[in-house]
Amino acid sequence: FKNSRLVGHLTGYEARGLNWLRNLIESGIIVVKDKNGENISLEIIESKCKIEPLIYNSGQLKATIKLNVGTNIGEIVGTKEIFSREDVDYIKKQLGESIKQEIMTVINFARKNKMDFFSLGTQFFQKYPTLWENYEKDWGDRVPTIDFDVQVKANIMRTYLLREPTSKEGD
């Protein structure tokens, strides 16, 4: 809502992107691809987001979003081994990119609609209370100009009892 009018609604990925920013993710499933293009389902077991606001001397605003996510491998669809260090690093990179895309989708929605529905203004006010009055009155117009840096640290904590794919190539 903006000025008591509905300007849009968030879809599934956008809504989860907002929940990442608000620290409301408690569990869920993210499906990523392994190096062979096969699906791997990762169960979200922990998540912590921190937003670090910054006002440069020029007055430009920046928000660094740092997100730590812990997951478990819940299901492997492929038939190839994926537990080498190289494969696990690839999966973690895919996970991080997937989460970053969800967050950027909701940030872009906020920019497009000149809205701050993830309390970014509050973060700036808390860090820069004396400077906030310079930004508060036209905050909505400033949201599209904020430089966002999204950093996702993705971890795979466990694999349950999975040690190899349930079926091998040629089975």
Side-chain angles (χ1 to χ4, degrees):
F1 287 91
K2 183 176 183 180
N3 299 327
S4 301
R5 294 193 58 194
L6 179 66
V7 296
H9 63 277
L10 300 177
T11 64
Y13 288 113
E14 291 167 334
R16 186 158 66 180
L18 178 60
N19 286 338
W20 288 117
L21 293 170
R22 289 185 170 176
N23 272 318
L24 296 175
I25 298 289
E26 294 179 13
S27 66
I29 303 292
I30 296 181
V31 179
V32 298
K33 303 280 186 191
D34 66 13
K35 283 184 170 183
N36 304 305
E38 300 288 346
N39 288 341
I40 299 187
S41 297
L42 300 166
E43 177 190 7
I44 303 163
I45 57 168
E46 61 186 27
S47 156
K48 178 69 175 153
C49 182
K50 182 176 181 184
I51 300 175
E52 298 175 354
L54 177 65
I55 300 176
Y56 293 108
N57 289 336
S58 64
Q60 175 61 30
L61 304 173
K62 179 178 182 178
T64 301
I65 297 166
K66 295 183 177 182
L67 182 67
N68 288 314
V69 179
T71 63
N72 292 335
I73 295 178
E75 182 178 33
I76 304 167
V77 175
T79 58
K80 298 206 171 147
E81 172 68 38
I82 59 140
F83 291 111
S84 71
R85 172 58 47 203
E86 182 181 318
D87 289 325
V88 170
D89 287 344
Y90 181 84
I91 294 166
K92 287 178 5 183
K93 182 177 179 189
Q94 297 306 306
L95 173 61
E97 289 299 318
S98 178
I99 294 169
K100 183 175 180 178
Q101 185 176 3
E102 289 179 6
I103 291 171
M104 286 308 299
T105 300
V106 77
I107 287 171
N108 290 334
F109 183 91
R111 283 176 166 163
K112 177 183 169 195
N113 293 292
K114 298 182 176 183
M115 298 174 69
D116 176 13
F117 44 81
F118 43 92
S119 303
L120 189 58
T122 302
Q123 301 284 332
F124 277 96
F125 170 70
Q126 288 175 346
K127 186 168 182 183
Y128 300 100
T130 57
L131 296 176
W132 177 244
E133 66 186 36
N134 300 326
Y135 298 92
E136 181 179 23
K137 57 188 161 279
D138 60 347
W139 183 245
D141 292 330
R142 291 187 183 268
V143 170
T145 68
I146 298 171
D147 179 27
F148 286 91
D149 178 22
V150 179
Q151 303 170 3
V152 179
K153 183 178 178 190
N155 295 302
I156 297 175
M157 315 298 275
R158 295 179 256 328
T159 63
Y160 296 109
L161 297 176
L162 298 175
R163 302 219 190 286
E164 58 187 42
T166 54
S167 63
K168 299 277 187 180
E169 242 179 340
D171 284 352

